[in-house]
């Protein structure tokens, strides 16, 4: 990704320090923050300073590696975290507790668990292996996203008007993104593309993050209210829908940001292709159907209040709902496989009925 002429990743590690773009400050301020402990990484994920399936996965992998690095161990040698039975217990207890803490930050994104599993196993060999594995997880996320862009671009015709929901761009991954990666490739290859970015209440990832990314990339776009998609589709103004995913079950049901399901149903009604762009690391073969996907419930505060800067750039939180009323805030919904035209993955386009055999 390119921000004001400089190449960035959303999250990266140098030495034993993790650097990341603080997404809560965007689009009003571009701030890089540092995490030096696995607990710092957990806070960044929990507070959605780092968000989006692939970025969360990379951050969780780095967190797991930092846990291995900081685990108590004896002086026998750095490659063996603990080699005396008493110490081994305390070391493994520390590591297991760290893994539980990391995995409790956000329950829905498959990539988080994919990353902790790989880095946990690598750390059993040595802390250095854990660090190397975490780096591989991050690198793979970036290269998968690039391939998703290439395969997805083959589906986009010149002049396409594409609707997307939430933010599945470079900010949601280590680089390139998923739903937006094909759009960037299409734009760079000279095709005319136009994007409708759903605002995506309550946190407005579409209005704040997708719109900011598209602006940085020079892609023509407009932000639309969450409830405008059906009308645009009914009036023939949308040629295709591309969204990301947070977890995809073995039967092809896909969990994504709340509001995705209704776009998929409406797209089917009007014969508009509905694609889900996601790396294979988002597919969960251990999850038989969408019914098994845990849907994160977030604080009602996100619905009841909004944040933004005043004319001097000072951030304020304002109440936007009737005082005294409570809010319900499910963060994701599940789109049944029958509404999905295809999955755009780093291995090519996969039809929902092929998920079981190709992943
Ligand atoms: O709650 P978030 O912002 O972490 O939600 C994840 C998402 O960004 C979306 O669901 C996205 O479309 C898929 S993950 C890139």
């Amino acid at each position: 990704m390119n921000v004001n002429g400089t190449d960035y990743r959303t999250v990266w590690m140098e030495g034993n320090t993790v650097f990341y773009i603080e997404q809560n400050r965007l689009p009003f301020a571009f701030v890089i923050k540092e995490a030096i402990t696995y607990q710092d990484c957990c806070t960044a994920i929990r507070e959605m300073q780092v968000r989006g399936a692939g970025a969360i996965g990379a951050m969780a992998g780095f967190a797991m590696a930092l846990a291995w690095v900081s685990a108590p161990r004896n002086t026998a040698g750095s490659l063996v975290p603990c080699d005396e039975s008493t110490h081994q217990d305390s070391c493994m207890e520390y590591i297991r507790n760290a893994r539980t803490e990391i995995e409790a930050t956000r329950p829905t994104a498959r990539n988080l668990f994919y990353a902790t599993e790989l880095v946990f196993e690598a750390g059993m060999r040595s802390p250095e292996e854990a660090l190397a594995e975490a780096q591989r997880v991050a690198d793979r996320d970036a290269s998968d996203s690039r391939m998703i862009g290439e395969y997805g671009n083959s589906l986009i015709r010149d002049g396409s008007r594409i609707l997307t929901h939430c933010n599945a761009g470079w900010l949601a991954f280590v680089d390139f993104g998923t739903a937006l990666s094909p759009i960037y490739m299409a734009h760079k290859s000279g095709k005319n593309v136009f994007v409708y970015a759903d605002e995506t209440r309550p946190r407005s990832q579409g209005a704040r993050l997708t719109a900011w990314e598209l602006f940085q990339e020079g892609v023509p776009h407009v932000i639309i209210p969450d409830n405008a998609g059906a009308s645009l589709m009914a009036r023939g103004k949308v040629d295709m829908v591309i969204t990301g995913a947070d977890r995809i079950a073995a039967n092809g049901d896909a969990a994504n940001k709340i509001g995705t399901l209704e776009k998929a149903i409406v797209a089917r009604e009007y014969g508009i292709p509905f694609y889900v762009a996601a790396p294979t690391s988002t597919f969960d073969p251990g999850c038989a159907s969408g019914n098994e996907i845990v849907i994160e419930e977030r604080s009602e505060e996100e619905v009841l209040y909004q944040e933004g800067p005043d004319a001097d750039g000072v951030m304020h939180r304002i109440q936007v709902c009737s005082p005294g009323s409570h809010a319900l805030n499910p963060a994701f919904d599940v789109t049944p496989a029958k509404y999905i035209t295809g999955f755009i993955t780093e291995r090519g386009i996969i039809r929902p009925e092929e998920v079981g055999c190709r992943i």
Side-chain angles (χ1 to χ4, degrees), residues 8 27 36 59 70 80 88 91 101 123 138 165 171 212 225 233 237 241 264 274 298 315 334 343 356:
Y8 288 95
I36 53 175
M59 188 56 137
S70 59
V80 183
Q88 191 158 25
C91 173
E101 200 176 328
H165 191 69
L171 289 166
W212 181 76
M233 289 193 235
K237 291 184 178 297
V241 179
F274 181 93
R298 293 191 61 85
M315 294 294 284
V334 176
F343 294 98

Side-chain angles (χ1 to χ4, degrees), residues 63-71 73 81 91-92 95 119-120 123-124 127 130:
M64 198 70 248
L66 286 178
W68 274 112
V69 168
S70 59
R73 61 188 109 142
C91 173
M92 286 315 296
I95 287 293
V119 180
F120 178 88
M124 298 294 268

Side-chain angles (χ1 to χ4, degrees), residues 23 48 50-56 106 109 164-169 171-173 178-179 200 203 205 209 243-246 255-258 260 277 282 296 298 331-332:
Q23 298 194 39
M48 294 181 69
V50 170
R51 51 140 296 283
I56 291 173
R106 307 264 335 253
T164 190
H165 191 69
C166 195
N167 173 264
L171 289 166
F173 289 82
T178 52
T200 320
R203 293 187 68 97
Q205 290 97 326
L209 305 177
T243 73
D246 296 90
N256 194 51
K257 182 54 59 186
I258 192 82
T260 303
T282 301
E296 178 184 10
R298 293 191 61 85
F332 302 95

